[in-house]
Amino acid sequence: MFLKNKDFFAKPARVGPKAPGDQPDRVPEENHTAEPDGQKTETATMVQLRVQDEQLQRDMAFLDACSRETGRPEMHKQLSELRDYLKNARFTVAVVGEFNRGKSTLVNKLLGQDVIPVSALPSTLLPIRVEGGHRDELIWKKPGGETHYPLKPETWDTLEEEIGWDGKAKGELVLRQTLPVLQQNELALLDTPGTNSQVKGDLSMAEEALSGCDCAILTIAAVAPVSESELRFLQEGILTKKVPRILVVLTKLDLLSEKERELVIRNVQARLDSLQEGLPLYLSQSGLVPGWEEKAGPKAIWDQLTAWLRESDHTYLKCQRAHGLLSEMAEELRGLYACQLEVLEEKKEARREKVEEKKRQLLGNSHIQWDQLEIEMLNRCNQNFTWIREMTEERQQDVIEKLTLELSHTNNPKDWWEKDYPYRMKMEMIALGNALESNLQSFYTRDLGWLNHVLQEKYKAIVPPQNQRMADKGVFRGARSQAELSLEDMHNTRLISRVGTGVVTVAGYLLFGMMGLSPLGMAVGIGGGIVSELFMNRRVEEQRARLGQTIRTELPGVFSRCVETVEKNVRETYRDAIGNMQKACQNWANAQCEAMEKARQQGEDPTKAQAIRQKVEKLAAMIQD
Amino acid sequence: MISIQEFLKNVNTGHVVRSSVPMGLGKSLPMLDIADDRLLVTLFFYRSILRPEDKTLLMPPEIIASFEYPGARLVTFETLALSRRFTGVDFRKPAGLFRHEAIRHLDREAYMAEKERYYEKLNALIAYLGGGEAFTQQDEDELARLFTMLAEPGLYPYYRAACPQFCERFLRK
């Protein structure tokens, strides 16, 4: 089809009236009303925590002030979450895991009745906190307030519609139940959305839930035991959050045969043992595997939870976790203050020199590190070139073999050369382009991931990925020039030859017939036909050989041109990443230099140094060994 | 020039679908793309598991294919399970539900009527691309409204992956 308006998609979309509900992907998160709540919660926390925890409150207030002074708002948020965690007197058990691992089912089993709906699709859209109450009720606690719902079966459908599947909804659902098990124990169960569902933000919901819980139950389905993502979530999402108690529960064992069950349990146990964290493994159903009676079924899990709940060191562990987190913050703040102090303690002139020296040193060291990063990135880029060369050479050989084989079967090389060959080449080049693009993008993502990991650690910066196509579509899909060869149309030639042979045969028959030698006339005709066929075949063979030779000569050039373009694009992409890295690093260095300069200017005030010194000492005292 | 409806019928009965697309896979809404000055129609094929009460499970697509318009010649064919860009997808897990929220108020006839309207708008766009009548802002908004409404939200990522330019333009958030 001939396109007159082929630039339609290339032009930017015209701005028209917005469709209903046409909103940005993610609405900005509403600010938490931390201040007024913070006031209220602090009082409540102090009443509930033990005497020595008043010190914890003072430490938190001090760190809060320091974080504001040093411009660390994220620390303020962490402290606010920590306050909430300490305020919560209930022993909170967060049930986490990937989608469809039986989290909600496990919560229902633990409570002895179906309080949360379960389905094959990710049905838990927000964390659901199940806790004891004087009456059955469902509350959606949102940043802007809370909504109460009557607890009826259809309420869940209404809620599902209100919350939506787009991941924009925030907050937590609180399900209050009059169940004796919940009322007798100061315990709350927190069901979380699957960590790998396709709804954005579900992972962060699970992680937030973990930062405010006393115990985490990680559910692993026996049908897909301990995937790499589960193991990574366990290591990075749970263990690094310093959750005081962790329990791993293997679910869906009934879907396996008896023989497989033991094998899976052994495998899961081995993977957990390899983490060397002493994580206890439980089975969600009892009576399925012999030898596991004590650690199987909801009752066994519940017994373990209540045992932990009643242990005297429960509050101690909670405080210890808080101390651990405060210690990390204190260490970070001390580093910042120590840097300032170092500058302040120098005399004015010496200080100036020192600052300049430190700046030079910082920039010098940074430049060396940046150069190393640049060299490493270029090395990685060069490795891509090696791969591209190897890959395309291999592909080139395959294509040559394929085309030569196809050519060897054609009876009319001219037709094949003019019609089939360009199409075949185009398809091959598109396939090559796609293969190159797919692999190069994954190499680039891997290399950028490495670079960002280093930058994050050293310079608290990241380089955004370039959304750039490396195997340029135009190069691989575009029309290609092909050698002009004067080939004979063998189809026509063969036709003419056959007609000629026929005429000779008839003429020979008639001529020799008059002499009474008609068989001889026939023989001459047939002989002529055979000779001409042999001659034709030889001509075809010659043309095939000629085309084969042309393909062998032409193809490396075509591949080479494409590869050169791809290499150029790859180099540009990596260069862009390096350029962005240098910018980000330079910004970091400038910020450091500015901080030093500011500290030097403030150094005139002797009380300032004294105040910072005191802060450093206080922070040092808060740091745990 | 044939209509998109006829084109889809040709694709459905063509050798590509018969020989390379497993039986039982449904096809997505068609999307248009332009490559090398050729008009392509892109589709993906996915499996759905029928369940009552609007709980039909939509599995992640298995194949993305582009066909040249109007000849229905296959141009690209991608098996998602073998493609690196979909390595993070678990093809055993459902990606969404049918009917989704946006079409829940429609009965079968109304749904088919909306789909027909979508096809008609595509026909108008195809005509415009070929140099025919203008494709107005209103047409564009209507096409976007229909596409956004009819496409299943759970499959949005796959629509975007299959035909980014078209979705950029017509898949309104």
Side-chain angles (χ1 to χ4, degrees), chain B:
Chain B
M1 192 62 64
I2 63 168
S3 67
I4 190 80
Q5 291 95 323
E6 283 172 274
F7 174 85
L8 291 176
K9 205 181 281 177
N10 292 347
V11 167
N12 254 349
T13 52
H15 81 280
V16 175
V17 170
R18 280 192 282 117
S19 62
S20 307
V21 177
M23 278 177 76
L25 297 197
K27 61 180 190 311
S28 69
L29 293 170
M31 293 167 281
L32 303 184
D33 200 0
I34 293 172
D36 286 349
D37 297 357
R38 287 180 306 172
L39 180 60
L40 306 181
V41 176
T42 301
L43 298 161
F44 57 71
F45 296 85
Y46 63 93
R47 195 177 294 284
S48 52
I49 300 169
L50 285 179
R51 288 203 181 172
E53 296 171 3
D54 288 352
K55 293 273 192 274
T56 294
L57 301 176
L58 305 178
M59 306 304 285
E62 292 178 29
I63 290 158
I64 295 177
S66 295
F67 300 88
E68 194 173 346
Y69 187 93
R73 191 168 68 80
L74 181 70
V75 180
T76 65
F77 189 91
E78 186 179 17
T79 307
L80 274 63
L82 304 176
S83 170
R84 272 172 184 258
R85 62 183 181 140
F86 295 98
T87 42
V89 176
D90 187 342
F91 289 90
R92 293 165 303 176
K93 291 178 185 168
L97 280 179
F98 185 87
R99 293 176 298 170
H100 53 274
E101 192 52 49
I103 56 165
R104 203 161 281 173
H105 63 286
L106 303 174
D107 57 20
R108 186 179 157 75
E109 284 71 33
Y111 174 72
M112 295 313 288
E114 292 289 351
K115 214 166 179 180
E116 198 58 30
R117 251 175 242 138
Y118 174 69
Y119 290 152
E120 286 312 323
K121 285 292 156 199
L122 279 189
N123 285 332
L125 178 56
I126 291 169
Y128 166 72
L129 294 173
E133 275 182 38
F135 193 68
T136 63
Q137 178 62 47
Q138 277 168 334
D139 290 331
E140 195 170 321
D141 287 341
E142 178 63 3
L143 181 56
R145 183 190 74 78
L146 289 164
F147 183 57
T148 311
M149 178 180 75
L150 293 171
E152 303 77 6
L155 300 180
Y156 277 0
Y158 301 99
Y159 276 103
R160 289 202 185 95
C163 202
Q165 282 185 327
F166 185 87
C167 291
E168 176 81 10
R169 190 108 180 186
F170 296 111
L171 192 59
R172 303 271 164 95
K173 289 150 197 158

Side-chain angles (χ1 to χ4, degrees), chain A residues 267-305:
Chain A
N267 179 23
V268 172
Q269 188 68 64
R271 295 205 83 171
L272 293 178
D273 290 346
S274 70
L275 295 173
Q276 297 183 334
E277 293 284 345
L279 301 175
L281 176 66
Y282 279 72
L283 312 183
S284 68
Q285 285 159 290
S286 55
L288 290 178
V289 186
W292 278 81
E293 288 77 14
E294 285 181 10
K295 288 190 160 190
K299 189 177 176 305
I301 299 169
W302 188 260
D303 287 347
Q304 178 61 72
L305 293 178

Side-chain angles (χ1 to χ4, degrees), chain A residues 62 69 334 336-348 351 598-619:
Chain A
F62 173 64
E69 193 177 63
R334 187 180 68 156
L336 288 171
Y337 280 125
C339 190
Q340 283 187 10
L341 194 62
E342 208 178 314
V343 177
L344 286 174
E345 280 174 344
E346 297 295 323
K347 285 186 179 169
K348 196 176 174 184
R351 198 181 301 133
K598 200 173 164 189
R600 186 188 67 75
Q601 285 163 3
Q602 288 171 346
E604 306 299 324
D605 182 3
T607 56
K608 179 82 182 169
Q610 184 57 27
I612 292 179
R613 200 171 294 115
Q614 281 172 356
K615 280 179 192 160
V616 171
E617 283 167 11
K618 200 169 173 183
L619 287 167

Side-chain angles (χ1 to χ4, degrees), chain A residues 135-320:
Chain A
R135 62 168 188 272
D136 289 350
E137 60 179 340
L138 183 60
I139 305 161
W140 181 5
K141 289 189 174 173
K142 297 178 252 190
E146 57 183 47
T147 319
H148 290 248
Y149 298 87
L151 201 52
K152 292 178 192 165
E154 62 268 22
T155 307
W156 291 104
D157 290 335
T158 321
L159 254 175
E160 196 177 294
E161 279 172 21
E162 277 185 41
I163 293 169
W165 287 84
D166 51 6
K168 287 177 187 169
K170 298 268 173 235
E172 178 181 271
L173 296 175
V174 178
L175 180 61
R176 296 221 171 102
Q177 292 277 327
T178 51
L179 294 171
V181 281
L182 290 172
Q183 286 181 327
Q184 285 158 14
N185 301 297
E186 276 292 283
L187 188 142
L189 290 171
L190 189 60
D191 186 18
T192 58
T195 52
N196 61 335
S197 90
Q198 289 174 9
V199 180
K200 283 181 190 173
D202 279 1
L203 178 61
S204 60
M205 279 190 207
E207 285 184 343
E208 264 177 42
L210 283 169
S211 61
C213 73
D214 300 291
C215 170
I217 295 182
L218 174 69
T219 55
I220 293 173
V223 285
V226 204
S227 63
E228 281 308 311
S229 55
E230 272 174 335
L231 203 61
R232 198 166 54 242
F233 177 69
L234 178 58
Q235 285 172 316
E236 294 172 11
I238 305 180
L239 293 173
T240 55
K241 293 262 176 201
K242 297 190 171 65
V243 179
R245 311 281 200 190
I246 302 168
L247 198 77
V248 179
V249 175
L250 197 56
T251 60
K252 306 197 177 189
L253 263 175
D254 53 326
L255 299 179
L256 300 181
S257 67
E258 276 183 33
K259 210 184 273 179
E260 285 173 326
R261 284 175 199 155
E262 284 189 25
L263 203 67
V264 166
I265 293 172
R266 268 209 302 278
N267 179 23
V268 172
Q269 188 68 64
R271 295 205 83 171
L272 293 178
D273 290 346
S274 70
L275 295 173
Q276 297 183 334
E277 293 284 345
L279 301 175
L281 176 66
Y282 279 72
L283 312 183
S284 68
Q285 285 159 290
S286 55
L288 290 178
V289 186
W292 278 81
E293 288 77 14
E294 285 181 10
K295 288 190 160 190
K299 189 177 176 305
I301 299 169
W302 188 260
D303 287 347
Q304 178 61 72
L305 293 178
T306 46
W308 279 342
L309 165 69
R310 293 190 182 116
E311 268 176 13
S312 57
D313 60 354
H314 157 46
T315 321
Y316 167 73
L317 278 175
K318 201 164 180 170
C319 288
Q320 202 184 33

Side-chain angles (χ1 to χ4, degrees), chain A residues 403-449:
Chain A
L403 291 174
T404 319
L405 181 73
E406 202 174 291
L407 178 64
S408 69
H409 290 107
T410 183
N411 286 327
N412 189 357
K414 179 183 166 68
D415 203 37
W416 182 86
W417 177 247
E418 286 170 359
K419 291 177 185 163
D420 290 0
Y421 174 74
Y423 176 70
R424 293 272 180 268
M425 272 304 288
K426 187 162 190 168
M427 288 300 113
E428 291 297 342
M429 294 314 280
I430 288 173
L432 173 68
N434 289 343
L436 281 171
E437 180 66 21
S438 152
N439 283 295
L440 289 172
Q441 284 295 353
S442 74
F443 294 158
Y444 173 64
T445 311
R446 180 199 63 199
D447 294 343
L448 197 68

